[in-house]
Amino acid sequence: VGPEGLVIAVEPSARAIATLRRNVAMNDLKNVDIIFAAAADRDGEASFFITADMSRSSLVAESDDCEKVRVVRLETIIKSRPVRFIKIDVEGGEALALRGARAILQADRPIIQFESTPGAAAAYGCEPDAVWQLLVEECGYGVYRGRDLRPCSTLPPVVANLYAIHP
């Protein structure tokens, strides 16, 4: 983002946020704001389930180990505008997190990098194509895959890293 840019890192895990804070301090990063919360379509509180593989922890994981976390809409916490890029990895909850950023998507049209995981949205009570409906049908984005940004006409049937880019 360069010296004038700002990174807003949203992290709900107490374990992961401690590592994130150490890394930001160790690298003397002055333009990183860390938000101890989970991105969602509402502001409030939820259970965050901790799994053995921390990268699979989520608001809906199957685990006996959980902690209460603050959930926030990105629209609530992002005050510095315009937003140019959103990288999101929320284990199937992409549609909910992006619904909490709908005004940002419509006004700023940031590039969005996200992971599509077939079937994972159902755990959040979302239709399998909910992220597609929001990004493509409601907000006018195109969805692309791979380094060469191949256009997608639907979400891939396999786990894939995707980019949503507004024309």
Side-chain angles (χ1 to χ4, degrees):
V1 299
E4 302 302 317
L6 174 65
V7 173
I8 299 172
V10 180
E11 175 56 56
S13 166
R15 296 174 195 171
I17 204 160
T19 301
L20 176 59
R21 286 180 174 146
R22 278 193 308 274
N23 201 338
V24 166
M26 182 174 36
N27 288 289
D28 196 32
L29 302 175
K30 303 294 186 210
N31 58 347
V32 178
D33 284 349
I34 299 172
I35 308 296
F36 188 19
D41 60 345
R42 64 184 176 84
D43 296 322
E45 189 176 80
S47 294
F48 184 73
F49 298 93
I50 311 299
T51 58
D53 175 359
M54 283 294 295
S55 70
R56 300 290 176 230
S57 297
S58 72
L59 296 173
V60 296
E62 296 295 323
S63 170
D64 292 332
D65 186 11
C66 77
E67 52 194 41
K68 288 289 185 195
V69 297
R70 179 172 70 123
V71 294
V72 295
R73 294 177 316 119
L74 294 178
E75 293 169 8
T76 301
I77 59 172
I78 296 175
K79 304 300 183 207
S80 180
R81 304 284 292 276
V83 174
R84 296 290 182 221
F85 186 83
I86 295 174
K87 196 267 188 214
I88 188 165
D89 184 2
V90 291
E91 303 306 315
E94 288 77 12
L96 295 181
L98 291 171
R99 284 179 193 156
R102 186 178 272 124
I104 292 169
L105 302 182
Q106 292 170 337
D108 299 346
R109 299 177 175 167
I111 295 171
I112 303 160
Q113 180 186 2
F114 67 102
E115 184 178 75
S116 174
T117 308
Y124 286 87
C126 294
E127 293 297 319
D129 64 345
V131 72
W132 184 272
Q133 290 173 8
L134 174 65
L135 292 173
V136 175
E137 296 171 18
E138 291 180 37
C139 295
Y141 278 81
V143 175
Y144 304 87
R145 181 177 182 183
R147 289 185 203 157
D148 55 349
L149 297 176
R150 295 180 309 275
C152 297
S153 56
T154 61
L155 290 176
V158 296
V159 174
N161 286 308
L162 303 174
Y163 295 88
I165 303 171
H166 199 281

